[in-house]
Amino acid sequence: MTNPRATTTTVAEEPWDSADGVLLRDAMQAELAARYGMPDQETDKPTAETVSVFLVARDQQGGAIGCGALRLQDDGTAEIKRMYVDPEARGTGAATGILRALEDHARQRGADSVVLSTGTEQPDAIRFYEREGYQLFDGFGPFAGHPMARFFTRRLG
């Protein structure tokens, strides 16, 4: 069945500090602060120096509707960071486009799997990653073991 909200989006690499990238990440932080009732607690935030690629999804009119970043890890994995789609564009396929493009970039950089973290107050994200073939695992980084954190991984083949 075709999604009636599906639109044609483009996903392309952009500089981390592009104006649209900053706006999308700020919107993501505001949404997460509202969902969790607190500001971002992340201690190892991605930066232009630590991300391997930053992607922005655009709608047919060229408006920025989503983003995602990839950070390579020393163990051969790639971590997906700052995955976000504007609420008005959710359900259009933009998130899947960003996710698949990030996975492609991870493969091109030699990663054999991708990992990501989300949280209990993001049930829509949890459902999305499960639907896209991601598996829950014990976790990594500073939030490993945190009761509100959820960690996902996917082997790249």
Side-chain angles (χ1 to χ4, degrees):
M1 185 164 150
T2 305
N3 179 349
R5 293 189 64 208
T7 61
T8 302
T9 60
T10 59
V11 178
E13 191 169 347
E14 295 195 12
W16 174 259
D17 57 356
S18 70
D20 285 334
V22 171
L23 289 172
L24 288 163
R25 292 191 309 274
D26 286 350
M28 181 196 77
Q29 293 299 332
E31 181 177 333
L32 292 176
R35 285 185 185 220
Y36 289 93
M38 68 180 107
D40 185 15
Q41 303 294 307
E42 187 174 17
T43 57
D44 186 20
K45 296 180 184 196
T47 66
E49 293 75 32
T50 63
V51 298
S52 301
V53 64
F54 180 68
L55 304 176
V56 173
R58 295 184 178 279
D59 61 21
Q60 292 174 308
Q61 293 75 38
I65 58 171
C67 64
L70 196 66
R71 183 163 55 183
L72 296 178
Q73 304 297 312
D74 293 335
D75 64 359
T77 63
E79 181 183 8
I80 294 174
K81 300 294 290 180
R82 299 306 187 255
M83 181 81 181
Y84 176 77
V85 173
D86 182 271
E88 294 296 313
R90 292 177 188 165
T92 66
T96 301
I98 296 165
L99 186 63
R100 294 297 174 243
L102 289 169
E103 291 169 351
D104 289 344
H105 280 277
R107 276 187 209 89
Q108 292 166 8
R109 287 162 172 78
D112 57 8
S113 63
V114 289
V115 296
L116 62 89
S117 62
T118 188
T120 57
E121 298 305 308
Q122 297 164 266
D124 43 347
I126 291 169
R127 283 189 306 273
F128 170 72
Y129 293 122
E130 288 174 339
R131 185 186 78 224
E132 295 302 319
Y134 282 69
Q135 303 294 315
L136 277 169
F137 78 109
D138 289 339
F140 61 95
F143 292 113
H146 192 285
M148 294 179 77
R150 297 294 178 268
F151 301 91
F152 288 89
T153 187
R154 184 166 190 240
R155 301 276 313 154
L156 301 173

